[in-house]
Structures are given as structure tokens and as C-alpha cells.
Amino acid sequence: MKDDCIFCMIASGKIPSATIYEDSHFRVFLDINPVTKGHCLIVPKEHFDNIYELDAETAAKVFSLATMLSRTLKKALKCDGMNIVQNNGTVAGQTVFHFHMHLIPRYDNDGVTILEEQAPGNMEEIEELRKLIKAEL
Ligand code: 5GP
Ligand code: ZN
């Protein structure tokens, strides 16, 4: 539990939330500023600032929960698609510095745009990046 962390307080139940799922490691609740109907956040009860701090066991559990709850949301909301979003760092849009994963149900013609500013890359640069990244593995 980190002092002054809003998600530590929500995850522990000290601050109420519209919880859809809870177990000993996680709380999943509806976002107060939903991008679409049913936008949820998967939040570990333990504090991690971001993905760089997450241990492998928690990471595996997060994705396992995401798959289970995506199916649940699809059934409950009859959504047409699902975006899984996870922001790390201010530049990436992170505003709460306690690791969390967004489940964003998508609906035909909902008008939401996520990662739509892509353009063909330079293949030489892509090859240089491939080498640079692989060298760290
Ligand atoms: P981030 O931008 O860090 O990836 O996402 C933080 C999310 O937490 C935002 O979508 C924001 O609306 C949501 N959020 C921030 N404070 C609260 C809160 O007190 N309760 C709930 N339910 N969601 C919150
Ligand atoms: Zn926290």
C-alpha cells in the first residue's frame, strides 16, 4: 500500500468503487470516466507503479483475468469488440501511477479511435531497431 495512491485505496476497499470482480490479488471496477459503456480497470491490490515493476506471476494473472472478463463483458453488454489498453508513463497517457489494465468494450460505430495514427515505416530503420532490441534480450 502506497501512501496517497488512489488505486491502493480503491483496491483495498477504503474508497468505494463499482466493483465487478474481486479476489485476494485483484479488484476490477468500472472507470469513472468511461471511454465506452462498460469500460473497466483491472487493478492489482499490491502497488506497482507500472509494467516495468510487475512480477511475472502478477502479469500472468492480469492477462488471465483480462481474457475471462472480456468474455463476461461480451456476454453482458453484447459489445462488438474489445480494446485492452495499458499505459505506462505520462507520455503514454498514464495518469494513475499504480499499474492497471483497461478493458474497453467497443460497439459498432462508437466513433472511438485508439492507435489509428499508423503509417508505413522505413524498413532499414525497422531492421536497426530489431537488432537494437534483440541485443537486450
Ligand atoms: P490511465 O490514464 O492512468 O491509464 O488510467 C487511469 C484511469 O483511472 C482513467 O481512465 C480514469 O478515468 C480512472 N480513474 C481515475 N480515478 C478514478 C477513481 O477514483 N475511480 C475510478 N473508478 N476510476 C478512476
Ligand atoms: Zn497504489
Side-chain angles (χ1 to χ4, degrees):
M1 179 106 182
K2 193 177 172 195
D3 286 348
D4 298 334
C5 173
I6 180 94
F7 280 7
C8 279
M9 288 191 267
I10 291 176
S12 69
K14 283 193 180 121
I15 290 181
S17 62
T19 296
I20 61 158
Y21 174 91
E22 186 184 6
D23 63 25
S24 54
H25 298 288
F26 295 94
R27 183 183 292 274
V28 183
F29 51 90
L30 286 146
D31 197 295
I32 40 162
N33 305 299
V35 171
T36 64
K37 192 176 62 163
H39 178 174
C40 291
L41 301 171
I42 299 177
V43 177
K45 291 186 174 178
E46 187 176 339
H47 182 95
F48 304 94
D49 281 354
N50 49 42
I51 198 167
Y52 312 116
E53 294 192 349
L54 211 59
D55 62 88
E57 193 185 339
T58 306
K61 282 182 179 153
V62 169
F63 216 83
S64 172
L65 254 184
T67 58
M68 190 271 275
L69 292 172
S70 292
R71 293 186 194 114
T72 304
L73 294 173
K74 186 173 188 294
K75 272 193 197 159
L77 304 172
K78 314 247 181 302
C79 53
D80 303 300
M82 181 70 60
N83 283 118
I84 307 294
V85 175
Q86 200 281 304
N87 300 324
N88 300 281
T90 305
V91 71
Q94 187 175 13
T95 57
V96 177
F97 294 87
H98 175 131
F99 176 93
H100 53 279
M101 181 179 273
H102 298 254
L103 301 180
I104 306 176
R106 298 298 304 277
Y107 303 90
D108 288 343
N109 305 313
D110 63 19
V112 174
T113 54
I114 295 175
L115 284 183
E116 288 192 2
E117 292 181 21
Q118 289 185 254
N122 174 319
M123 292 314 287
E124 280 172 23
E125 188 186 19
I126 286 173
E127 176 56 13
E128 285 307 309
L129 289 166
R130 184 189 71 77
K131 286 188 206 149
L132 185 74
I133 296 163
K134 275 209 81 174
E136 287 296 332
L137 283 172

